[in-house]
Amino acid sequence: MKGYEYHKPSTVKEAIDLMGSLENAKFIAGGTDVMVLIRQKKLSPAHLISLRNISDLSFMETANGFFIGGGVTHSEIVGNEFIQKHYSALSDAAGNIGSKQIRNVATLCGNICNAAPSADSACPLLVLDAKVLIAGPDKEREIALDDFFLGPNRTALEKGEMVKGFHMPPFNENTGSTYIKHTRRAAMDLPILGIAARVTIKIGGSQIGCKDAFCTIDTISNILKHLEGEDLVCEDVRIAMGVVSPKPIRAKKAEAALLGKVVSEKLFEEIAEIAASEAQPRDSIRGEAWYRRDMIKVLTKRALLKSIDRVIRPDDLIHPDRLW
Amino acid sequence: MKKIKGYSITLTVNNENYDLTAEPNRTLLEVLRDDLHLTGTKESCGEGACGSCTVLVDDQPVRSCLTLAVAVEGRHITTIEGLSQGGALHPVQDAFVAHHAIQCGFCSPGMILTAYALLKENPSPTEEEIRRAISGNVCRCTGYAKIVEAIKSLADQGRQER
Ligand SMILES: Cc1cc2nc3c(=O)[nH]c(=O)nc-3n(C[C@H](O)[C@H](O)[C@H](O)COP(=O)(O)OP(=O)(O)OC[C@H]3O[C@@H](n4cnc5c(N)ncnc54)[C@H](O)[C@@H]3O)c2cc1C
Ligand code: FES
Ligand code: FES
C-alpha cells in the first residue's frame, strides 16, 4: 500500500477543517469500502481522515422520529429494538450486510456515502423518508435522501462537506416496513436486487388487530382475504428498488397507483407490475436484466404483504422470517 | 513523494502492551504478524471477504486485514494466541479438536475467535444462530458440519448450566 497520512479529529468541525485544508483527502469511518479500494489500488489518498474518534457522531436518539448519527454501525442498528419495531426495513437491511465482523465496524453512513447502486441500507432509508444532515465549512443543511444520490458512487456532498447523520420522521402505528435482499447465498453476498416497502393502512374506524386464533398461524394472504370486507385502505406508501438503475430509486408510479386504494393481494400484483416497468435493470455478473425485472414483481408484492403483516401482527417482528 | 512518518502507538494485545512505531498504512494484520510475530492470525483474501484474519477488538470480531493498526490504539485486541491459558487450550479450542472441526487449520483461528465471541454474547445459541454467526468465515475443507457440531456442543453445555 502507498503511504498516506492519518488524522484523528475528535470533533465534526476539526474533521471539516482538515478536509478543507488538505489535498487528496478521504474520510474513513469503518473502512470496509475505503480499505478494500485502497488494497485494490483503486484509491490512493494522500490523507485519511478517520471519523472513529468523533463521539458526536456515534449516537442515536428518538427526536421527532429517530436520528441516527454518522458513526453508528450496522451492529448497533441491528441491536436497537426501537428501530426493529418502528423502522423495521432498516433493521432488515442492517442485519444482512456482510458478516458480523463487517457489521461491527461498518457504518450506515459509509454505506450511504459510498453510494453503490447495491447499498443495502439505501432502499430502507428511502422508504422511511430519511433526510441527510450535512455539515460543511460554513453551514449545515438537510436534504432528502432521494436528492442525495446522484449516480454510482456519486453524492450531493460538496467539497469539504460531511454527513452528520440521518433523520427519519415518526410514522403512525398502523405502519409497517420491510426490506427484502435477493441474493444467491444466504449470507455474505451483495444483492442481485433489493426491494423495500412501507405501508400505512387504515381500517374503517376500528382498530386493526389480530386476536383470532387463525391469525397467529395463517399466512398473510389468507388473512387479507379474510379481512376483505373490512376495507383496509392504503393511507401512505413508499416502494424503493436497488440494483435496478444507476442509483437506488423510488417506484413513484407504483406508489401513486396504490395510494388510497383498498389493499388486496391482487392489487399488489398490479402494483408490482408497475414497479417493474419503472426499473432499468442491466445485465451484470450477479444477474441478468430480464431476471431482475421478473423478480421485482415477485419481491414488491412480497414486501408489501410483509409490511402489512407487520402492522397486523407486530409481535412477529421478533421472528420476522416465520412465514417468509 | 514525501516520506510518511510512522506513528508511535501502544497496542494492547492479549492483555500485554506493546509500544511500537506503525506507519499509518499498515493494517492490524500486518503489525500482528510481522512486528509482534503473532502468526496465528492468517491472511487469505486480504479484502474482507473470508474471515481468516478475524481478531477480537474489545471482544467483538473484526477483520484485521481491513483494520488500520493506528485505528485500534487503546482498544483490547485478542488473537488466537490469547485464548489458551498457560498451555491449556480454551474450551472452544478443545471442542474444535474433539469434534474434528479442523482439517488444514487455516480458517481455524478466525473461526474459533468468532465462535468464542458468539458464545460470550450468547452462551446457548441455536444451530441457526451458530450458522449465522460463522457465515463470515470461509472454510474450504470441513464442509462446516463439524465446526457447527463443535460449537453446538458448547452451546448445549451453556444450556445445561442455565
Ligand atoms: C466483505 C464485505 C462484505 C460487504 N457486504 C455488504 C453488503 O452485504 N451490503 C452492502 O450494502 N455493503 C456491503 N459491503 C460494503 C460496506 O461494508 C458497506 O458499504 C459499509 O456500510 C461501509 O461503511 P464503512 O463505515 O466501512 O465506510 P468507509 O469505507 O469508511 O467509507 C465509505 C465511503 O463513505 C465516505 N464516508 C464515510 N463516512 C462519511 C461521513 N460521515 N461523511 C461523508 N463521507 C463519509 C468515505 O469517505 C467513503 O467514501 C461489504 C464490504 C465488505 C468488505
Ligand atoms: S484476509 Fe481478512 S477477510 Fe480475508
Ligand atoms: S480447515 Fe481448512 S479451511 Fe477450514
Side-chain angles (χ1 to χ4, degrees):
Chain A
M1 263 190 277
K2 242 162 98 179
Y4 41 76
E5 302 244 13
Y6 187 77
H7 307 266
K8 293 201 240 187
S10 54
T11 63
V12 169
K13 181 166 183 326
E14 273 174 47
I16 293 170
D17 287 349
L18 278 167
M19 188 49 107
S21 63
L22 300 170
E23 282 294 314
N24 189 14
K26 185 92 184 148
F27 287 128
I28 180 168
T32 59
D33 281 317
V34 171
M35 287 299 294
V36 172
L37 291 174
I38 292 177
R39 295 196 71 124
Q40 293 173 344
K41 301 194 167 57
K42 290 178 185 157
L43 187 73
S44 46
H47 300 271
L48 280 185
I49 303 172
S50 169
L51 303 177
R52 281 193 189 211
N53 299 300
I54 305 182
S55 51
D56 266 4
L57 289 179
S58 37
F59 76 99
M60 299 189 260
E61 65 175 359
T62 39
N64 184 26
F66 200 75
F67 181 83
I68 301 180
V72 172
T73 64
H74 298 300
S75 283
E76 289 167 318
I77 290 174
V78 179
N80 187 299
E81 269 189 31
F82 192 83
I83 298 179
Q84 238 175 59
K85 263 204 156 85
H86 300 280
Y87 302 98
S88 326
L90 183 60
S91 206
D92 292 344
N96 281 309
I97 289 182
S99 64
K100 177 93 179 176
Q101 295 99 322
I102 298 289
R103 294 192 290 273
N104 279 340
V105 297
T107 59
L108 171 64
C109 194
N111 193 231
I112 296 297
C113 292
N114 196 49
S118 60
D120 274 312
S121 44
C123 290
L125 285 188
L126 279 176
V127 300
L128 296 169
D129 284 355
K131 292 233 163 66
V132 190
L133 181 60
I134 298 172
D138 314 312
K139 59 173 191 334
E140 285 194 0
R141 61 190 179 113
E142 201 176 62
I143 63 171
L145 183 65
D146 215 1
D147 301 325
F148 184 75
F149 296 122
L150 300 183
N153 307 110
R154 281 180 39 240
T155 68
L157 283 179
E158 281 163 22
K159 169 81 184 149
E161 282 187 328
M162 65 177 280
V163 173
K164 274 177 84 172
F166 304 92
H167 179 256
M168 300 174 291
F171 297 110
N172 99 23
E173 62 173 322
N174 291 338
T175 303
S177 68
T178 303
Y179 174 65
I180 301 179
K181 169 177 184 170
H182 188 50
T183 51
R184 278 170 306 180
R185 309 177 61 212
M188 281 296 285
D189 208 353
L190 292 175
I192 299 170
L193 179 68
I195 301 282
R198 168 174 65 80
V199 188
T200 303
I201 49 178
K202 196 173 77 183
I203 183 166
S206 59
Q207 271 293 316
I208 309 164
C210 202
K211 293 173 191 76
D212 301 351
F214 84 96
C215 216
T216 56
I217 47 163
D218 218 338
T219 61
I220 184 66
S221 302
N222 282 341
I223 292 173
L224 270 189
K225 258 190 219 118
H226 196 84
L227 292 173
E228 235 161 42
E230 308 264 354
D231 282 0
L232 290 181
V233 176
C234 169
E235 213 178 32
D236 195 16
V237 57
R238 295 282 183 279
I239 298 167
M241 313 183 280
V243 218
V244 304
S245 70
K247 59 176 201 161
I249 55 164
R250 270 176 52 193
K252 294 188 181 170
K253 286 186 197 151
E255 290 173 4
L258 181 53
L259 192 66
K261 301 266 169 64
V262 174
V263 302
S264 69
E265 193 167 348
K266 170 128 193 339
L267 176 62
F268 287 166
E269 274 162 23
E270 292 163 30
I271 299 301
E273 290 276 341
I274 301 175
S277 73
E278 291 181 75
Q280 309 104 39
R282 287 191 323 175
D283 291 338
S284 82
I285 42 162
R286 253 188 283 281
E288 288 178 47
W290 67 266
Y291 176 70
R292 284 205 170 96
R293 206 181 285 283
D294 271 4
M295 285 310 292
I296 293 172
K297 297 177 197 167
V298 177
L299 296 184
T300 303
K301 176 181 144 192
R302 212 175 275 178
L304 290 167
L305 282 172
K306 189 165 177 175
S307 300
I308 289 189
D309 196 350
R310 285 175 165 178
V311 178
I312 298 180
R313 295 186 280 204
D315 295 345
D316 281 13
L317 273 177
I318 313 302
H319 305 288
D321 296 325
R322 196 177 55 128
L323 293 171
W324 304 90
Chain B
M1 206 182 82
K2 81 176 158 85
K3 180 109 180 67
I4 303 283
K5 66 175 190 324
Y7 290 61
S8 298
I9 58 167
T10 305
L11 279 191
T12 310
V13 183
N14 304 328
N15 291 323
E16 286 203 34
N17 290 337
Y18 297 87
D19 295 317
L20 41 98
T21 311
E23 284 89 49
N25 61 347
R26 300 199 68 214
T27 62
L28 177 59
L29 175 67
E30 290 164 342
V31 169
L32 287 173
R33 289 184 56 90
D34 303 343
D35 296 6
L36 307 187
H37 305 294
L38 293 170
T39 53
T41 308
K42 305 298 181 204
E43 172 167 15
S44 184
C45 69
E47 42 188 68
C50 75
S52 68
C53 67
T54 300
V55 300
L56 307 182
V57 173
D58 296 338
D59 278 341
Q60 289 295 327
V62 305
R63 310 293 213 207
S64 63
C65 70
L66 295 183
T67 306
L68 291 172
V70 286
V72 287
E73 213 197 340
R75 317 278 297 269
H76 276 267
I77 296 150
T78 310
T79 68
I80 192 69
E81 289 89 348
L83 283 199
S84 54
Q85 296 292 329
L89 292 184
H90 185 275
V92 180
Q93 293 172 308
D94 271 334
F96 270 60
V97 174
H99 288 83
H100 308 284
I102 300 171
Q103 284 186 27
C104 79
F106 205 80
C107 71
S108 308
M111 198 65 94
I112 288 170
L113 284 168
T114 303
Y116 168 90
L118 166 71
L119 291 164
K120 194 152 183 173
E121 214 171 82
N122 174 3
S124 45
T126 59
E127 172 159 350
E128 160 122 27
E129 286 167 335
I130 294 171
R131 288 190 179 272
R132 271 188 76 83
I134 62 168
S135 64
N137 293 74
V138 174
C139 174
R140 303 311 301 266
C141 308
T142 64
Y144 303 99
K146 301 280 180 194
I147 294 175
V148 174
E149 267 171 37
I151 304 173
K152 234 171 134 184
S153 73
L154 296 160
D156 294 341
Q157 277 172 30
R159 236 172 252 137
Q160 276 157 24
E161 278 160 23
R162 274 199 300 183

